[in-house]
Amino acid sequence: MLIIMSAAYIDKELASEFGDIPPTFLPLGNKRLFQHQIAASPKQKRVYLSLPDDFTPNPADLDWLLQHNVAILRVPVGLPLGASLVSSLNLIEDNIQGPVSILFGDTLITDIPSDKNVVAVSEIEDNYNWSVISQEKDKLIEPNHQRSSADNQNVVAGYFNFSQPKQLIRSLTHQHWDFVKGLNDYHQQVGMCSARVNNWLDFGHVNTYYHSKAKFTTQRAFNELDINPPVVTKSGNQKNKIEAEANWFKHLPGDLKVFTPQFLGSYVNQEKASYQLEYLHLTALNELYVFAQLPDMVWQRILNACFAFIDKSSEHQALADDKQASLGGLFQQKTLQRVTLFCKNNQLDADKIWQINQTTLVSINQLCKLSEQYLPAPKAASLMHGDFCFSNILYDFRTNNIKTIDPRGIDHNGNMARFGDIQYDLAKLSHSVLGMYDWIIAGYFSLTYQPYQISFELHHQSHNDAVQNIFLRAVKQRYRLNAANIYAMQIQLFLSMLPLHSDQPERQQALLANAFRLFELLQQEVS
């Protein structure tokens, strides 16, 4: 069996950015850390996850753990590591016969050793007081060691295997639940050895979290993304798209450069285009919105930082000869084209009525036309990001400022256009806040689908309601847009993105269901 030990909360520095959560609940690659830990664990092992007994996971996380046969162990808060481990072992209802593996909750190792009675070791780059393998015969590890350069190659990496769990309990008990002393006692009784791992990622401190996150992203990045801190290079065969993004950064006014990573240049050849940006060790808002537990006042600051970018962008009005993306082109025209393609590919009648959660609503064509009626009146074109959603916005907690990436830079016909209606940026922002797009992408929903009949539920948390109310009030006050305008724009956005998710049918169906959910909210506003 494998026990992932996560019965304590993250430290204060991390908590200031993610709230009070156990380390295994930290975000990583648009998932929880525990999802990656369990994916990397040996398939034949039963997995247990220890959590603080006063922590309440999201129901969607509980469902995921249940589906993957992970048992939760509720451990009292505040216990030292050794006592927490003994408590976890005692809470396991199954008869513990065979070896027990332990993985720290802030640790990800993709090449977990298969040997018994081992402690995983690796090398380090950061200067933290990690334990190291002892040079003394009667000791296994040394705590808080004043390391030499040789020790840096033998740092304890947070994974252990014990062939005799009862002896482990005895050793920890004899050593008054001191984890390091207990391991050394077990080593004297049974004998342990070290096993080197090459893919150790530590998420226990704010610095190691961001360094490990950069390494993780580099290992799993798409072909068009090359991350080599402090530089990230984006490239692709869709030359027009990459050139448009680079052009947006290249011609960004000086007073807006504080809202973006530093632009480091671009390159174009016959095959592809690329550009480089400064790599920032920051978290995107989609991960904070879905996975963190931040107070409302923090979200107030985050949204204000987003509005500051929109306000500053709107000050840069387009000239008559500037290419401009019209609101009608970005909504009605593009939405109609995408909906037609979606219905054709899925053999759906766009005029047939749909039933959502046993409520009869409208057809897809009616959804398009009715939402059009509540779109806001166009405004004069100004500088526009074009894809100003949470996944493209990084937040710096130290400066309370955002850094935005991946601008659109083109109109719906593929022409380079840095200018457009700033209300489109507000629509993209709202499709994250109110539309819950990132929750769908993270898989936090329940769905039963058949053509023209869907059962759909989003597994969001109550704190999202407060954030949404803050957003709606601010948009109405600052931009004179009512809730009906916002919901109408979102419906158009969710319909227009349907063909882009054809590779994941369940997600595509959830996005369609969400458009109908937003239509119900629109109806409530106008009734």
Side-chain angles (χ1 to χ4, degrees), residues 110-359:
T110 55
D111 55 338
I112 289 179
S114 58
D115 298 333
K116 298 178 182 178
N117 293 315
V118 298
V119 51
V121 298
S122 191
E123 58 182 301
I124 59 163
E125 299 174 0
D126 296 286
N127 186 29
Y128 284 98
N129 287 327
W130 284 293
S131 297
V132 298
I133 295 299
S134 176
Q135 302 300 316
E136 300 180 28
K137 292 183 179 180
D138 61 338
K139 288 186 179 180
L140 176 66
I141 58 178
E142 293 277 1
N144 300 327
H145 196 69
Q146 295 297 320
R147 295 186 303 271
S148 66
S149 58
D151 289 330
N152 290 341
Q153 308 296 315
N154 292 291
V155 172
V156 176
Y159 172 84
F160 311 84
N161 179 275
F162 307 96
S163 66
Q164 300 181 31
K166 290 185 178 180
Q167 177 58 51
L168 174 63
I169 293 174
R170 284 194 294 269
S171 293
L172 288 167
T173 303
H174 289 159
Q175 298 300 325
H176 303 281
W177 301 282
D178 183 297
F179 183 74
V180 172
K181 291 181 179 179
L183 260 61
N184 286 331
D185 186 276
Y186 179 90
H187 172 59
Q188 293 170 8
Q189 304 300 322
V190 179
M192 296 186 74
C193 61
S194 62
R196 181 161 300 280
V197 295
N198 298 312
N199 295 304
W200 172 44
L201 298 177
D202 180 88
F203 299 90
H205 310 276
V206 68
N207 287 340
T208 62
Y209 173 83
Y210 283 109
H211 292 165
S212 294
K213 191 173 184 180
K215 291 180 181 178
F216 178 88
T217 307
T218 301
Q219 294 167 3
R220 291 157 178 80
F222 296 109
N223 292 332
E224 67 270 15
L225 206 61
D226 180 18
I227 299 174
N228 187 19
V231 176
V232 56
T233 302
K234 185 173 182 179
S235 60
N237 296 324
Q238 292 181 290
K239 292 173 58 177
N240 189 43
K241 177 180 180 298
I242 300 297
E243 286 185 84
E245 293 182 22
N247 181 66
W248 188 90
F249 283 111
K250 189 182 301 182
H251 294 95
L252 195 66
D255 58 356
L256 278 164
K257 290 183 178 179
V258 296
F259 295 102
T260 66
Q262 185 177 358
F263 177 68
L264 302 176
S266 59
Y267 176 78
V268 180
N269 60 24
Q270 292 182 343
E271 296 179 356
K272 64 181 182 179
S274 64
Y275 66 90
Q276 291 187 323
L277 296 175
E278 170 192 15
Y279 181 82
L280 300 174
H281 294 279
L282 302 174
T283 300
L285 292 187
N286 62 312
E287 291 194 332
L288 293 180
Y289 197 48
V290 178
F291 301 114
Q293 293 186 3
L294 297 174
D296 298 345
M297 64 177 184
V298 174
W299 277 107
Q300 180 78 69
R301 291 200 296 266
I302 291 172
L303 292 175
N304 285 340
C306 294
F307 295 142
F309 168 79
I310 291 175
D311 293 345
K312 185 60 67 175
S313 297
S314 66
E315 294 176 6
H316 295 273
Q317 298 288 310
L319 302 177
D321 58 346
D322 285 324
K323 292 287 185 181
Q324 303 172 18
S326 69
L327 199 64
L330 292 170
F331 283 130
Q332 295 105 308
Q333 296 176 35
K334 183 178 71 173
T335 300
L336 181 60
Q337 293 170 358
R338 298 273 183 84
V339 163
T340 301
L341 177 61
F342 167 74
C343 290
K344 179 182 178 181
N345 291 343
N346 291 274
Q347 298 180 324
L348 295 173
D349 182 353
D351 292 312
K352 190 167 181 177
I353 303 297
W354 284 73
Q355 188 179 77
I356 311 297
N357 294 336
Q358 299 182 340
T359 299

